[in-house]
Coordinates of all heavy atoms in Angstrom, one line a residue:
T269 N -7.8 0.1 2.0 CA -7.2 -0.9 1.2 C -5.8 -1.1 1.6 O -5.3 -2.1 1.6 CB -7.1 -0.4 -0.3 OG1 -8.5 -0.1 -0.8 CG2 -6.5 -1.3 -1.3
V270 N -5.1 0.0 2.0 CA -3.8 0.0 2.5 C -3.7 -0.7 3.8 O -2.8 -1.5 4.1 CB -3.1 1.4 2.7 CG1 -1.8 1.4 3.2 CG2 -3.1 2.1 1.3
N271 N -4.7 -0.4 4.7 CA -4.8 -1.2 6.0 C -4.8 -2.7 5.8 O -4.2 -3.5 6.5 CB -5.9 -0.7 6.8 CG -5.9 -1.3 8.2 OD1 -4.9 -1.2 8.9 ND2 -7.2 -1.8 8.5
H272 N -5.7 -3.2 4.9 CA -5.8 -4.5 4.5 C -4.5 -5.1 4.0 O -4.1 -6.2 4.4 CB -6.8 -4.8 3.5 CG -7.1 -6.2 3.1 ND1 -7.6 -7.2 3.8 CD2 -6.8 -6.8 1.9 CE1 -7.6 -8.3 3.3 NE2 -7.1 -8.2 2.0
F273 N -3.8 -4.4 3.2 CA -2.5 -4.8 2.6 C -1.4 -5.0 3.8 O -0.7 -5.9 3.8 CB -2.0 -3.6 1.6 CG -0.7 -3.9 1.1 CD1 -0.4 -4.7 0.0 CD2 0.5 -3.3 1.7 CE1 0.9 -4.8 -0.6 CE2 1.8 -3.5 1.2 CZ 1.9 -4.3 0.0
C274 N -1.5 -4.0 4.7 CA -0.6 -4.2 5.8 C -0.9 -5.3 6.6 O 0.0 -6.2 7.2 CB -0.6 -2.9 6.8 SG 0.0 -1.4 6.0
K275 N -2.1 -5.6 6.9 CA -2.5 -6.8 7.8 C -2.1 -8.2 7.0 O -1.7 -9.2 7.7 CB -4.1 -6.9 7.9 CG -4.5 -5.8 9.0 CD -6.0 -5.8 9.2 CE -6.5 -4.8 10.1 NZ -8.0 -4.8 10.4
M276 N -2.3 -8.2 5.7 CA -1.9 -9.4 4.9 C -0.4 -9.6 5.1 O 0.0 -10.7 5.0 CB -2.3 -9.3 3.5 CG -3.8 -9.2 3.3 SD -4.6 -10.8 3.7 CE -3.9 -11.8 2.4
R277 N 0.4 -8.6 5.4 CA 1.8 -8.8 5.5 C 2.3 -8.8 7.0 O 3.5 -8.7 7.2 CB 2.5 -7.6 4.7 CG 2.5 -7.9 3.2 CD 2.7 -6.7 2.3 NE 2.6 -7.2 0.9 CZ 1.5 -7.5 0.3 NH1 0.4 -7.7 0.9 NH2 1.6 -7.9 -1.0
M278 N 1.4 -8.9 7.9 CA 1.6 -9.1 9.3 C 2.4 -7.9 9.8 O 3.2 -8.1 10.7 CB 2.3 -10.4 9.5 CG 1.7 -11.7 9.0 SD 0.2 -12.0 9.8 CE 0.7 -12.5 11.4
S279 N 2.0 -6.7 9.3 CA 2.7 -5.5 9.8 C 1.9 -4.9 10.9 O 0.9 -4.4 10.7 CB 3.0 -4.6 8.6 OG 3.6 -3.4 9.0
R280 N 2.4 -4.9 12.1 CA 1.7 -4.3 13.3 C 2.2 -3.1 13.7 O 1.7 -2.3 14.5 CB 1.8 -5.4 14.4 CG 1.0 -6.6 14.1 CD 0.9 -7.5 15.3 NE 0.2 -8.7 15.1 CZ 0.7 -9.9 14.6 NH1 1.9 -10.0 14.2 NH2 -0.1 -11.0 14.4
A281 N 3.4 -2.7 13.3 CA 4.1 -1.4 13.7 C 3.2 -0.2 13.2 O 2.8 -0.2 12.0 CB 5.5 -1.3 13.2
K282 N 3.1 0.7 14.0 CA 2.3 1.9 13.6 C 3.0 3.2 14.0 O 2.9 3.9 15.1 CB 1.0 1.8 14.3 CG 0.0 3.1 13.9 CD -0.4 2.9 12.5 CE -1.4 4.1 12.2 NZ -1.8 4.0 10.7
T283 N 3.9 3.5 13.0 CA 4.6 4.8 13.1 C 4.6 5.5 11.8 O 4.3 4.8 10.7 CB 6.2 4.6 13.4 OG1 6.8 3.8 12.4 CG2 6.3 3.8 14.7
D284 N 4.7 6.8 11.7 CA 4.7 7.5 10.5 C 5.8 7.1 9.5 O 5.4 6.8 8.3 CB 5.0 9.0 10.7 CG 3.8 9.6 11.6 OD1 2.7 9.1 11.6 OD2 4.0 10.7 12.2
K285 N 6.9 6.7 10.0 CA 8.1 6.2 9.1 C 7.6 4.9 8.5 O 7.8 4.5 7.3 CB 9.3 6.0 9.9 CG 10.4 5.7 9.2 CD 11.7 5.7 10.1 CE 13.0 5.1 9.3 NZ 14.2 5.1 10.1
K286 N 7.1 4.0 9.4 CA 6.7 2.7 8.9 C 5.5 2.7 7.9 O 5.4 2.0 6.8 CB 6.3 1.8 10.1 CG 5.9 0.3 9.7 CD 7.1 -0.4 9.1 CE 6.6 -1.9 8.8 NZ 7.7 -2.7 8.4
D287 N 4.5 3.6 8.2 CA 3.5 3.9 7.3 C 3.8 4.2 5.9 O 3.4 3.9 4.9 CB 2.5 4.8 7.9 CG 1.6 4.3 9.1 OD1 1.8 3.0 9.3 OD2 1.0 5.1 9.8
A288 N 4.9 5.2 5.9 CA 5.4 5.6 4.6 C 6.0 4.5 3.9 O 5.8 4.4 2.6 CB 6.3 6.8 4.8
S289 N 6.8 3.7 4.4 CA 7.4 2.5 3.9 C 6.4 1.7 3.3 O 6.6 1.0 2.1 CB 8.5 1.8 4.7 OG 9.4 2.8 5.2
M290 N 5.3 1.3 4.1 CA 4.2 0.4 3.6 C 3.5 1.1 2.4 O 3.1 0.1 1.5 CB 3.3 0.1 4.8 CG 3.9 -0.7 5.9 SD 4.5 -2.3 5.4 CE 3.2 -3.1 4.6
L291 N 3.4 2.2 2.4 CA 2.8 2.8 1.2 C 3.6 2.7 -0.1 O 3.0 2.5 -1.2 CB 2.4 4.3 1.4 CG 1.3 4.7 2.3 CD1 1.3 6.2 2.7 CD2 0.0 4.4 1.5
A292 N 4.9 2.8 0.1 CA 5.8 2.5 -1.1 C 5.8 1.1 -1.5 O 5.6 0.7 -2.7 CB 7.2 3.0 -0.6
Q293 N 5.6 0.1 -0.6 CA 5.6 -1.3 -0.9 C 4.2 -1.6 -1.5 O 4.0 -2.4 -2.4 CB 5.8 -2.1 0.4 CG 7.1 -1.9 1.0 CD 7.3 -2.7 2.3 OE1 6.7 -3.9 2.5 NE2 7.9 -2.3 3.2
F294 N 3.2 -0.9 -1.0 CA 1.7 -1.1 -1.5 C 1.7 -0.6 -3.0 O 1.3 -1.3 -3.8 CB 0.8 -0.2 -0.8 CG -0.5 -0.1 -1.4 CD1 -1.4 -1.2 -1.1 CD2 -1.0 0.8 -2.2 CE1 -2.7 -1.3 -1.6 CE2 -2.3 0.9 -2.7 CZ -3.2 -0.2 -2.5
G295 N 2.4 0.5 -3.4 CA 2.5 1.0 -4.7 C 3.2 -0.1 -5.6 O 2.7 -0.4 -6.7
K296 N 4.4 -0.6 -5.1 CA 5.1 -1.5 -6.0 C 4.4 -2.8 -6.2 O 4.4 -3.4 -7.3 CB 6.4 -1.8 -5.3 CG 7.3 -2.7 -6.0 CD 8.7 -2.9 -5.3 CE 9.6 -3.9 -6.1 NZ 10.9 -4.1 -5.3

């Protein structure tokens, strides 16, 4: 579900720091 969320936002970066930020955005 999170991966789909990232793709919809055109987020291609794959780092632990970026993943954590995307999880926060996903939650919001």
Side-chain angles (χ1 to χ4, degrees):
T269 304
V270 178
N271 185 51
H272 178 72
F273 176 84
C274 294
K275 289 181 177 179
M276 292 294 292
R277 280 153 182 75
M278 306 296 289
S279 176
R280 294 187 176 86
K282 185 62 178 176
T283 65
D284 294 340
K285 182 177 180 179
K286 181 66 175 178
D287 287 346
S289 297
M290 289 304 300
L291 282 166
Q293 295 175 40
F294 175 85
K296 183 177 180 179

